[in-house]
Amino acid sequence: MSISIRCPGCEEETDHDIVRDGSPATVRCCECDHIHRITITIPAIREIPAIVSSEAESKKGVIELTDDELVNVGDTFVADVGDDIFGVEVTGIEIGPARRRRASVKDITCLWTRVVDTVIIRASLHKGATTIPLYEAVDGETAYTIGEITDVGGRQFRVTRIKMRDGQVIRKPGSYAEARFIKRIYGERS
């Protein structure tokens, strides 16, 4: 078994092999072979309640985190919801009645999340004076690029701009974004 800690020999955080377990344990640096003793503390694992939202539906679940972690809005984790497991992004952090953008796991009472492993991509296809709304479930890591031809809802079109969830609009040819960060794709019939 190995752990990652600061080595007094090479003065950097490196992997160490545990030579002898105990309190304190004897460890050897994998980089410089320096042997020293340390007290190993294993952080407790907590199950943090989570609200997992997928489009218009929300369910209660849990996310397992260690006591020593810091959580930020935008971090991604795996959430257990009954027998299902989802890749989620943190959208809100509750500490009692207050909401924060960053918090220690010890203080968190609930995490608000949204599913990002599969998302509904929305597109507006412009054809003359007509706009056709399109929807399709895609993997959250699917990339869409300005200027490229793509397919959403069975229709092919050239992507002209992308509106992001944070309000930013991408227009530069060759720029791209992953589906989990996109609010809407705009395109023209190719």
Side-chain angles (χ1 to χ4, degrees):
M1 185 173 136
S2 69
I3 59 171
S4 182
I5 57 171
R6 184 165 178 79
C7 175
C10 51
E11 296 183 357
E12 292 183 22
E13 181 139 342
T14 61
D15 287 337
H16 285 66
D17 290 326
I18 298 174
V19 178
R20 187 170 1 124
D21 208 2
S23 186
T26 304
V27 294
R28 180 179 56 244
C29 177
C30 295
E31 298 294 321
C32 69
D33 288 330
H34 180 78
I35 296 176
H36 57 104
R37 300 181 81 163
I38 61 159
T39 302
I40 300 173
T41 55
I42 300 171
I45 295 175
R46 290 188 184 214
E47 285 190 347
I48 305 297
I51 304 299
V52 179
S53 298
S54 179
E55 295 305 313
E57 185 180 358
S58 295
K59 296 178 181 177
K60 290 182 180 181
V62 295
I63 297 174
E64 288 187 355
L65 300 169
T66 57
D67 260 350
D68 61 344
E69 287 186 77
L70 279 175
V71 178
N72 295 292
V73 169
D75 288 351
T76 55
F77 298 105
V78 174
D80 293 322
V81 180
D83 292 336
D84 296 323
I85 296 173
F86 298 100
V88 296
E89 176 184 30
V90 176
T91 58
I93 302 170
E94 267 186 26
I95 300 176
R99 288 247 180 149
R100 302 281 185 257
R101 295 198 55 75
R102 178 182 184 155
S104 173
V105 168
K106 293 180 257 184
D107 302 327
I108 298 172
T109 53
C110 185
L111 289 173
W112 292 79
T113 65
R114 69 181 183 92
V115 175
V116 293
D117 50 3
T118 301
V119 296
I120 302 295
I121 198 73
R122 292 167 179 76
S124 292
L125 171 58
H126 299 291
K127 188 175 180 184
T130 307
T131 300
I132 303 166
L134 304 170
Y135 306 93
E136 184 175 53
V138 297
D139 185 283
E141 294 182 3
T142 302
Y144 292 92
T145 305
I146 303 295
E148 287 193 357
I149 295 174
T150 192
D151 185 307
V152 175
R155 301 249 184 151
Q156 279 193 337
F157 60 91
R158 183 175 309 279
V159 178
T160 57
R161 66 185 196 272
I162 300 171
K163 173 128 180 156
M164 305 297 288
R165 287 178 131 339
D166 64 5
Q168 175 186 5
V169 177
I170 300 173
R171 292 184 174 93
K172 184 178 177 183
S175 298
Y176 66 93
E178 290 182 358
R180 64 189 175 133
F181 300 118
I182 296 173
K183 187 167 189 171
R184 184 170 293 276
I185 295 173
Y186 297 90
E188 294 175 350
R189 187 86 177 162
S190 56

